[in-house]
């Protein structure tokens, strides 16, 4: 039976099968990223909202899903025992991948205070949003590090996790991780970089500026994301 709950559950399942959020699924299909948000599934008056046949067609095309498979998801079909076993084996033998979305909605802080840009759940909605690309793990050796010490307080605390991208170009003012030839690894702010030297600031005033000869530096990588 094509109930309201089952159709929306099928959309959630389709996103999960393709390792996407429903917002990313909508963007991939060329739709507004809020199209499938949970807040869009019922009206303010409590009336049920249904996804359009056009939006369903677009997400099936974007994920190469045929109508029979989508219908099976609506009916709550589960994988066969063989498929389930294969999935468990793949999960056990495949190393975890730190996944980031390709882009996220972008809005200025001043505009964010105006009405019409967020729904009741705090998700982006309406028009006027731009997009900013995020670094992708495919083709680039991004990785995570755990902050130690207090030199980056109050921005980064001891134990915070940061994502580092060696391939990103670094500029003045960027937060970076630097490794010296002696094996010291530090998270700092790039104050100045020349052919001969690199100057690094600490956000914590208790830690002085560091000036290193580039001949003593093994690499410099930009911090592109951090847990808080």
């Amino acid at each position: 039976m094509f109930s309201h709950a089952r159709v929306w559950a099928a959309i959630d399942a389709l996103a999960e099968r393709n390792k996407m959020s429903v917002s990313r699924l909508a963007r991939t299909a060329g739709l507004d990223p809020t199209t499938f948000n949970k807040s869009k599934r019922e009206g303010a008056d409590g009336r049920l909202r249904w996804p359009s046949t056009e939006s369903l067609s677009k997400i099936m095309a974007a994920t190469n899903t045929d109508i029979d498979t989508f219908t099976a998801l609506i009916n709550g079909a589960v994988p066969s025992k063989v498929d389930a076993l294969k999935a468990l084996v793949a999960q056990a033998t495949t190393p975890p991948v730190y996944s980031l979305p390709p882009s996220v909605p972008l809005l200025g802080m001043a505009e964010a205070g105006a009405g019409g840009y967020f729904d009741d759940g705090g998700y982006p909605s309406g028009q006027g949003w731009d997009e900013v690309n995020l670094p992708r793990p495919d083709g680039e050796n991004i990785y995570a590090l755990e902050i130690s010490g207090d030199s980056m307080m109050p921005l980064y605390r001891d134990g915070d996790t940061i994502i580092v991208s060696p391939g990103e170009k670094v500029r003045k003012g960027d937060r970076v991780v630097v490794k010296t030839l002696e094996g010291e690894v530090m998270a700092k702010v790039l104050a100045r970089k020349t052919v001969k030297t690199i100057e690094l600031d600490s956000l914590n005033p208790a830690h002085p500026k560091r000036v290193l000869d580039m001949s003593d530096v093994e690499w410099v990588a930009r911090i592109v994301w951090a847990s808080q």
Side-chain angles (χ1 to χ4, degrees), residues 108-184:
M109 288 289 285
E111 295 173 294
Y117 288 106
F118 300 93
D119 63 18
D120 294 338
Y123 293 96
S125 64
Q127 305 299 317
W129 291 86
D130 201 348
E131 284 196 343
V132 59
N133 290 327
L134 295 180
R136 298 293 297 152
D138 46 316
E140 184 181 3
N141 295 320
I142 69 171
Y143 53 89
L145 294 173
E146 186 175 296
I147 292 292
S148 298
D150 60 357
S151 69
M152 293 294 282
M153 285 284 286
L155 185 61
Y156 302 141
R157 298 162 297 185
D158 185 62
D160 281 350
T161 300
I162 58 175
I163 298 296
V164 176
S165 176
E168 291 283 327
K169 184 177 180 180
V170 294
R171 298 174 297 180
K172 180 180 179 179
D174 284 345
R175 292 180 286 276
V176 296
V177 172
V178 177
K179 184 176 187 237
T180 68
L181 293 175
E182 293 183 350
E184 182 181 6

Side-chain angles (χ1 to χ4, degrees), residues 18-207:
N18 289 274
K19 299 180 180 178
M20 300 179 182
S21 64
V22 290
S23 296
R24 182 178 172 187
L25 176 63
R27 288 197 302 271
T28 302
L31 302 169
D32 185 287
T34 65
T35 300
F36 303 126
N37 282 1
K38 294 186 184 299
S39 60
K40 296 291 185 73
R41 303 180 185 189
E42 289 186 12
D45 55 1
R47 287 190 299 175
L48 301 181
R49 291 178 176 173
W50 292 74
S52 69
T53 53
E54 180 183 10
S55 63
L56 294 180
S57 175
K58 286 185 176 181
I59 61 175
M60 283 189 282
T63 56
N64 293 318
T65 303
D66 57 43
I67 186 64
D68 291 336
T69 301
F70 190 74
T71 301
L73 292 175
I74 292 176
N75 291 330
V78 296
S80 67
K81 291 183 179 180
V82 173
D83 289 339
L85 181 58
K86 288 181 178 178
L88 287 174
V89 172
Q91 184 177 7
T93 57
T94 303
V97 176
Y98 211 107
S99 178
L100 296 175
S103 63
V104 293
L106 171 66
L107 188 69
M109 288 289 285
E111 295 173 294
Y117 288 106
F118 300 93
D119 63 18
D120 294 338
Y123 293 96
S125 64
Q127 305 299 317
W129 291 86
D130 201 348
E131 284 196 343
V132 59
N133 290 327
L134 295 180
R136 298 293 297 152
D138 46 316
E140 184 181 3
N141 295 320
I142 69 171
Y143 53 89
L145 294 173
E146 186 175 296
I147 292 292
S148 298
D150 60 357
S151 69
M152 293 294 282
M153 285 284 286
L155 185 61
Y156 302 141
R157 298 162 297 185
D158 185 62
D160 281 350
T161 300
I162 58 175
I163 298 296
V164 176
S165 176
E168 291 283 327
K169 184 177 180 180
V170 294
R171 298 174 297 180
K172 180 180 179 179
D174 284 345
R175 292 180 286 276
V176 296
V177 172
V178 177
K179 184 176 187 237
T180 68
L181 293 175
E182 293 183 350
E184 182 181 6
V185 178
M186 64 196 88
K188 299 289 183 181
V189 176
L190 179 61
R192 187 168 180 262
K193 181 174 179 288
T194 68
V195 175
K196 294 184 178 180
T197 62
I198 183 170
E199 298 179 15
L200 303 167
D201 286 335
S202 298
L203 293 181
N204 188 335
H207 292 259

